[in-house]
Amino acid sequence: MAQAVKPIETIGVLTSGGDAPGMNAAIRAVTRKALKNGMKVMGIDKGYQGLLAKEIRELTAKEVSDSIQRGGTILKTARSEEFRTEAGRKKAAGILGELGIDAIVVIGGDGSYRGALGLSHEGIGVVGLPGTIDLDIACTEYTIGFDTAVNTAMEAIDKIRDTSSSHERCSRVEVMGRAAGYIALWCGIASGAEEILLPERYDYNEQEIINHIIETRKLGKTHFLLVNAEGIGHSVSMARRIEAATGMETRATILGYMQRGGSPTCKDRVYASIMGAYAADLLHKGIINRVVGYQKGEFTDFDIDEALAMQKTIPDYYVEVATALAR
Ligand code: ADP
């Protein structure tokens, strides 16, 4: 475990990459716990891009008030090509050094962690907090925003299901997740979908899905729900093919960015608060280059390079259960 060479007096906090509900609860917790620990806190706007542009201001306890219930991120977020280069990260480390910022808390996904690891090589202490609606960070069973996103998507799917049932339609609903199928898997189980298509298991058979619809319609089933992750793609064209092959009216709905927004759920507010405070405590103890996670009912932390080397897979048993209960 890496230890800072001198006590950490000033920390920075930023949100980076895709935004996620609950990021504000994390920013608030980092800020207030660090202040309680006697540290000074600087808010860096717009992720690494804002860091390179010196969009940095001091955060007080008041500054983060009235934010825990808000979606999005009060610090804004962005992506930065310059920060991907070593020269960009050296420049960023120089800016942090000039402002007397010893370490930063990075709230974001895998990409943001890679950037943070690069920054740690330039002598800046980092702590990562898992902020992503996709749940695709290997070292943790919880990521900030996932709970809100799946509840938002589930509620939308329930509404689609009502109308699909009235009209005896087949609905195909695309949820977020380009490379990760957790949102689709959870929403699919929670909504009782007949089919759940995941990017991690690109082995579905379209003809088999069509045959299933034809067969079960003969037995009296009047509506169908297929949930797929964004990474599966061609939602609209597949819906058209299903309609042509089965004769059943089939509509595709792409839920899109609504899944990123909204007021965070209680779980996202509470877990993000604990993780944020945990990050401030690590830095207060001089512990750097770690990421905070949640495993087997406990909050914990890992070396950032160790965390980035872990592989996340979809749990087989979830898929088995989803399949067993769907039909
Ligand atoms: P997320 O953190 O949600 O996965 P991105 O992958 O877009 O989002 O990453 C956010 C930012 O982190 C990027 O715009 C870039 O500045 C930085 N970043 C991503 N990957 C790397 C990398 N391999 N090395 C250095 N910086 C990176």
Side-chain angles (χ1 to χ4, degrees):
M1 200 185 296
Q3 188 78 30
V5 288
K6 62 180 183 64
I8 294 170
E9 287 169 356
T10 302
I11 67 166
V13 55
L14 60 80
T15 48
S16 165
D19 66 335
M23 281 182 160
N24 288 328
I27 296 165
R28 173 179 175 272
V30 168
T31 305
R32 293 204 171 154
K33 192 67 169 76
L35 291 170
K36 289 267 163 22
N37 291 344
M39 297 187 282
K40 184 171 162 184
V41 184
M42 305 296 281
I44 301 162
D45 279 328
K46 299 184 201 152
Y48 298 128
Q49 190 198 93
L51 168 54
L52 288 167
K54 290 197 200 178
E55 294 185 50
I56 303 172
R57 63 206 153 92
E58 189 168 347
L59 291 181
T60 60
K62 187 163 173 287
E63 203 94 20
V64 293
S65 68
D66 197 23
S67 67
I68 193 165
Q69 80 284 14
R70 293 186 197 283
T73 157
I74 55 171
L75 288 177
K76 314 281 184 206
T77 184
R79 294 193 163 90
S80 164
E81 280 312 308
E82 188 182 359
F83 195 80
R84 287 178 181 273
T85 66
E86 197 182 332
R89 292 191 296 274
K90 280 195 191 309
K91 180 175 157 192
I95 291 168
L96 292 168
E98 257 172 53
L99 295 170
I101 300 174
D102 309 306
I104 64 167
V105 177
V106 172
I107 309 167
D110 246 31
S112 303
Y113 280 10
R114 281 182 211 288
L117 177 64
L119 194 59
S120 75
H121 295 151
E122 305 304 329
I124 299 293
V126 296
V127 171
L129 292 182
T132 166
I133 62 166
D134 290 323
L135 195 67
D136 58 345
I137 297 185
C139 69
T140 184
E141 293 160 12
Y142 165 83
T143 62
I144 297 165
F146 176 74
D147 191 58
T148 307
V150 282
N151 277 291
T152 302
M154 182 190 73
E155 283 167 21
I157 294 170
D158 283 348
K159 289 175 181 149
I160 292 166
R161 195 189 184 104
D162 286 346
T163 168
S164 142
S165 170
S166 307
H167 288 269
E168 304 197 337
R169 271 185 203 132
C170 174
S171 295
R172 180 153 190 207
V173 185
E174 178 180 311
V175 297
M176 279 193 140
R178 268 199 291 267
Y182 293 93
I183 296 180
L185 181 59
W186 278 59
C187 287
I189 294 174
S191 313
E194 275 73 35
E195 296 285 342
I196 307 171
L197 308 184
L198 310 171
E200 291 88 345
R201 292 167 185 247
Y202 208 92
D203 57 356
Y204 66 92
N205 179 334
E206 192 171 309
Q207 191 56 49
E208 203 270 325
I209 296 172
I210 289 169
N211 293 345
H212 171 73
I213 295 174
I214 294 171
E215 288 310 310
T216 44
R217 265 188 99 194
K218 284 187 199 153
L219 300 174
K221 189 161 169 61
T222 54
H223 63 96
F224 293 85
L225 173 64
L226 319 179
V227 173
N228 69 279
E230 190 184 354
I232 297 289
H234 56 90
S235 292
V236 175
S237 55
M238 195 199 265
R240 275 200 210 107
R241 287 195 298 275
I242 291 174
E243 179 166 303
T246 62
M248 185 170 194
E249 190 185 0
T250 304
R251 296 271 167 90
T253 306
I254 298 170
L255 295 185
Y257 283 116
M258 68 173 300
Q259 294 161 90
R260 283 200 179 282
S263 176
T265 59
C266 182
K267 179 172 179 173
D268 275 330
R269 295 181 201 193
V270 173
Y271 280 33
S273 295
I274 294 180
M275 285 182 155
Y278 193 116
D281 285 344
L282 285 177
L283 292 173
H284 185 51
K285 288 180 228 160
I287 299 168
I288 52 170
N289 308 340
R290 305 286 282 178
V291 298
V292 180
Y294 179 84
Q295 279 196 353
K296 299 191 170 77
E298 308 255 0
F299 293 93
T300 179
D301 55 294
F302 301 88
D303 268 334
I304 188 164
D305 45 4
E306 183 194 348
L308 279 169
M310 295 179 190
Q311 296 290 328
K312 185 131 181 166
T313 52
I314 286 274
D316 289 336
Y317 193 60
Y318 278 51
V319 177
E320 189 191 318
V321 169
T323 312
L325 303 187
R327 294 185 177 187

